[in-house]
């Protein structure tokens, strides 16, 4: 084979690779748009009247996740099944965002931490790497850390809306989450930096709870029976 023939073959391989990446990019853009729609919907819970419509917003968000599952099915067909990590960078960010959104919906519904398996089911992908397109553990953890920041914001806005029990429940949840992350030996630099931000979320929520305490509103919240979810 001549040098020209060798490079012609290489160009053919590069062209195929570029075609795959372009197809992936199109689906990822659609996923990003759906994620923005879900986020816009859920952001309404931070407004005063939004607390009264949490169940309705969660139901609507789950309908959007139906679109996510369809888009994920399309994404799975755009690259060879054994090359997940070769193209992983293309959908890593949006997948982490979708993990956060799924976790936020589950928290609003039940005030519990969603499992990786449950998130995978919501998104229409696998939890186990061996079964194909899956939810990487680090992507799951990154999404959960974003949830912590969102709940810190929700704790502050809860007080503004006159819901004094919710910050107490959020504080308990975030402290349990922090304890869980402390059990992990994180090697990923990006994930480690994200985790370092969790202590600021914990501190922010503790300040909210302390403020409620010195104003005597935490007792009112306890008497009130825990508030609405």
């Amino acid at each position: 084979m001549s040098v020209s023939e060798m490079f012609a073959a290489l160009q053919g391989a590069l062209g195929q690779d570029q075609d795959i990446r372009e197809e992936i990019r199109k689906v990822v853009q659609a996923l990003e748009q759906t994620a923005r729609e879900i986020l816009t919907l859920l952001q309404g819970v931070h407004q005063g009247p939004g607390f009264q419509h949490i169940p309705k917003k969660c139901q609507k968000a789950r309908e959007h996740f139906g679109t996510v599952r369809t888009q994920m099915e399309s994404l799975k067909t755009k690259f060879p099944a054994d090359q997940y990590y070769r193209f992983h960078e293309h959908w890593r960010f949006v997948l982490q965002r979708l993990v956060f959104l799924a976790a936020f919906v589950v928290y609003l519904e039940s005030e519990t931490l969603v499992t990786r398996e449950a998130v995978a089911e919501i998104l229409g992908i696998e939890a186990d790497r061996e079964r194909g397109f899956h939810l990487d553990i680090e992507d799951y953890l990154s999404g959960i850390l974003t949830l912590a920041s969102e709940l810190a914001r929700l704790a502050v806005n809860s007080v503004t809306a006159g819901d004094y029990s919710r910050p107490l429940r959020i504080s308990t949840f975030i402290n349990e989450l922090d304890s869980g992350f402390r059990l992990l030996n994180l090697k990923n630099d990006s994930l480690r930096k994200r985790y370092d931000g969790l202590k600021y979320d914990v501190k922010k929520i503790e300040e909210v709870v302390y403020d409620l305490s010195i104003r005597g509103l935490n007792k009112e919240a306890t008497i009130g029976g825990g508030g609405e979810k």
Side-chain angles (χ1 to χ4, degrees):
M1 182 182 292
S2 68
V3 172
S4 296
E5 290 173 334
M6 289 172 59
F7 275 84
L10 292 174
Q11 176 55 42
L14 287 174
Q16 290 179 353
D17 190 73
Q18 290 170 354
D19 290 342
I20 290 174
R21 294 180 186 279
E22 179 61 22
E23 289 299 310
I24 291 174
R25 186 186 65 82
K26 292 177 182 177
V27 182
V28 168
Q29 284 182 332
L31 279 167
E32 289 172 342
Q33 177 58 37
T34 306
R36 283 193 293 269
E37 292 172 1
I38 298 173
L39 180 61
T40 300
L41 175 67
L42 294 178
Q43 288 300 293
V45 305
H46 290 287
Q47 308 301 322
F51 286 95
Q52 303 171 16
H53 305 295
I54 285 178
K56 185 180 297 185
K57 290 182 181 298
C58 289
Q59 181 181 358
K60 188 67 176 177
R62 285 196 176 265
E63 293 174 6
H64 282 294
F65 276 113
T67 301
V68 169
R69 287 190 290 274
T70 299
Q71 292 165 339
M72 283 294 186
E73 285 299 321
S74 176
L75 180 58
K76 295 174 188 178
T77 67
K78 303 304 181 184
F79 65 96
D82 61 345
Q83 296 185 20
Y84 177 92
Y85 283 105
R86 181 181 180 187
F87 301 103
H88 175 247
E89 192 64 25
H90 288 278
W91 59 75
R92 178 177 62 87
F93 176 78
V94 70
L95 189 56
Q96 292 175 3
R97 173 60 63 88
L98 289 167
V99 170
F100 150 62
L101 293 171
F104 193 26
V105 169
V106 170
Y107 179 83
L108 291 172
E109 290 174 338
S110 62
E111 297 190 356
T112 59
L113 176 63
V114 69
T115 64
R116 184 163 68 100
E117 292 74 15
V119 174
E121 183 177 352
I122 291 171
L123 302 183
I125 58 179
E126 301 293 340
D128 298 327
R129 178 175 179 172
E130 293 75 14
R131 300 182 66 178
F133 195 106
H134 63 284
L135 176 55
D136 185 83
I137 293 176
E138 292 180 355
D139 289 337
Y140 166 74
L141 293 174
S142 293
I144 296 304
L145 287 170
T146 303
L147 172 67
S149 298
E150 190 74 8
L151 292 181
R153 180 186 172 204
L154 185 63
V156 174
N157 292 329
S158 297
V159 176
T160 304
D163 185 345
Y164 304 130
S165 64
R166 191 178 298 272
L168 305 180
R169 303 197 303 274
I170 290 176
S171 178
T172 299
F173 177 83
I174 292 297
N175 276 291
E176 291 177 352
L177 192 63
D178 183 48
S179 297
F181 269 94
R182 289 178 185 275
L183 297 175
L184 303 178
N185 182 18
L186 299 176
K187 299 294 186 181
N188 181 292
D189 289 341
S190 175
L191 187 59
R192 178 70 197 186
K193 290 178 181 177
R194 295 283 303 278
Y195 166 63
D196 288 341
L198 180 58
K199 63 176 177 288
Y200 297 107
D201 296 323
V202 172
K203 181 179 179 182
K204 183 176 182 180
I205 296 169
E206 286 177 345
E207 289 174 349
V208 173
V209 172
Y210 175 73
D211 184 59
L212 290 174
S213 177
I214 62 175
R215 293 163 59 188
L217 296 175
N218 61 331
K219 296 178 182 178
E220 178 181 327
T222 302
I223 295 173
E228 291 188 26
K229 296 183 181 181

